Amino acid sequence: MSTLPHTSPLSLRAQAYESFQQQIVDANIRPGQFISQRELMQLLGMPLGAVRELIPRLEAEGLLKTVPQRGLQVAHVDLKLINNAFQLRQLLEREAASRFVTTVSDRDLAAIEQSHRDIVQRARSGGAIDDALLKDATAVDWGLHDLMIDALGNELISEVYRINSLRVRLIKLEGSTLSPQVLVPAMEEHLWFIEALKRRDAHAVLERLGHHIESAHLRVLGLPRPAMPWSLEKPG
């Protein structure tokens, strides 16, 4: 009898879904893009059967749709999607932050703060901001938001947030990782927010989180980001 491990159809579907998410993160899937099942199979590195089973889930989540006589189309980004996605992000993250400010440990906050400062130091080291740094910065950026949401311990909220995060990543796909122009300002916004977390100032935490999310919202709309009364050089 063979002792080789058996990969179930369910695990294949899960792998295909994770691969689809990663393709969005890596900007290999573009908003509004048309793609065939076989092209999707090749892109995800998954068998056709798993891809076919994946499609209904992606359609249900609004990440993909079937267009008659055209094939599969990745979600198209428009003003309504942008505004709706950022409004949902505000609602979920405000709830998460109001809990996080009272539960996150000083030790964890110190590690989070250091990871952000390390990114800023690398960005200001005098060398070019390369793809590796942008990728690491994006992981640090999204990692804090994901951590706050997951700290709620509510799988339903985490699932809704994760799906919405994919929409936001599609919206920002012209630079799904942080661009060199916004890397340091985005890290400063996070550090401003972290400073309020360290003081356990719930009011300031919510105010600064709202500022950060609105700043990202305005950026994807091509509008100037709001001024921030704080910098690494002059914290306050």
Side-chain angles (χ1 to χ4, degrees):
M1 180 180 295
S2 173
T3 58
L4 292 174
H6 174 69
T7 303
S8 69
L10 179 60
S11 65
L12 283 177
R13 287 197 298 271
Q15 290 175 46
Y17 187 77
E18 290 179 0
S19 181
F20 185 86
Q21 293 181 81
Q22 191 60 47
Q23 297 306 315
I24 291 178
V25 171
D26 293 341
N28 293 326
I29 292 178
R30 313 293 301 184
Q33 172 185 350
F34 282 93
I35 188 168
S36 69
Q37 288 188 11
R38 292 199 174 274
E39 287 171 335
L40 191 57
M41 176 187 71
Q42 294 171 356
L43 186 63
L44 302 183
M46 300 300 298
L48 187 57
V51 169
R52 284 174 172 167
E53 292 178 342
L54 170 67
I55 289 170
R57 178 178 181 179
L58 297 177
E59 289 182 319
E61 294 180 355
L63 297 171
L64 201 68
K65 69 177 180 179
T66 300
V67 180
Q69 300 181 347
R70 293 292 303 275
L72 302 171
Q73 185 180 28
V74 180
H76 177 69
V77 172
D78 57 19
L79 183 59
K80 181 179 180 180
L81 175 62
I82 292 172
N83 290 338
N84 287 350
F86 275 94
Q87 182 181 30
L88 180 57
R89 185 179 172 189
Q90 282 272 17
L91 289 172
L92 296 179
E93 290 197 37
R94 284 179 65 86
E95 174 66 22
S98 65
R99 181 79 60 86
F100 194 68
V101 67
T102 64
T103 60
V104 64
S105 69
D106 291 340
R107 181 178 179 179
D108 286 345
L109 277 177
I112 292 167
E113 180 181 30
Q114 189 59 52
S115 68
H116 284 74
R117 290 188 178 275
D118 288 346
I119 293 294
V120 173
Q121 182 177 8
R122 287 169 62 187
R124 291 179 169 173
S125 64
I129 297 179
D130 57 16
D131 288 343
L133 176 54
L134 290 173
K135 184 175 182 178
D136 291 345
T138 299
V140 169
D141 186 334
W142 283 91
L144 175 56
H145 296 282
D146 291 344
L147 179 63
M148 288 195 303
I149 290 291
D150 289 340
L152 286 170
N154 187 316
E155 294 179 358
L156 294 177
I157 292 177
S158 290
E159 179 72 2
V160 170
Y161 183 79
R162 181 190 52 73
I163 295 169
N164 195 58
S165 291
L166 291 176
R167 297 189 189 104
V168 173
R169 286 174 187 263
L170 277 175
I171 289 166
K172 299 168 72 175
L173 212 47
E174 280 62 30
S176 65
T177 53
L178 294 171
S179 70
Q181 294 75 23
V182 303
L183 189 154
V184 172
M187 290 295 104
E188 285 193 328
E189 287 176 359
H190 268 220
L191 285 164
W192 188 43
F193 171 67
I194 292 167
E195 191 273 333
L197 285 171
K198 289 169 62 178
R199 291 190 289 105
R200 309 295 174 173
D201 185 336
H203 176 76
V205 162
L206 293 182
E207 183 178 54
R208 294 176 185 187
L209 174 67
H211 182 285
H212 175 60
I213 295 175
E214 182 60 16
S215 178
H217 186 184
L218 291 173
R219 189 170 71 243
V220 301
L221 292 174
L223 299 173
R225 64 195 306 147
M228 188 179 68
W230 188 93
S231 72
L232 286 171
E233 288 75 18
K234 297 179 180 179

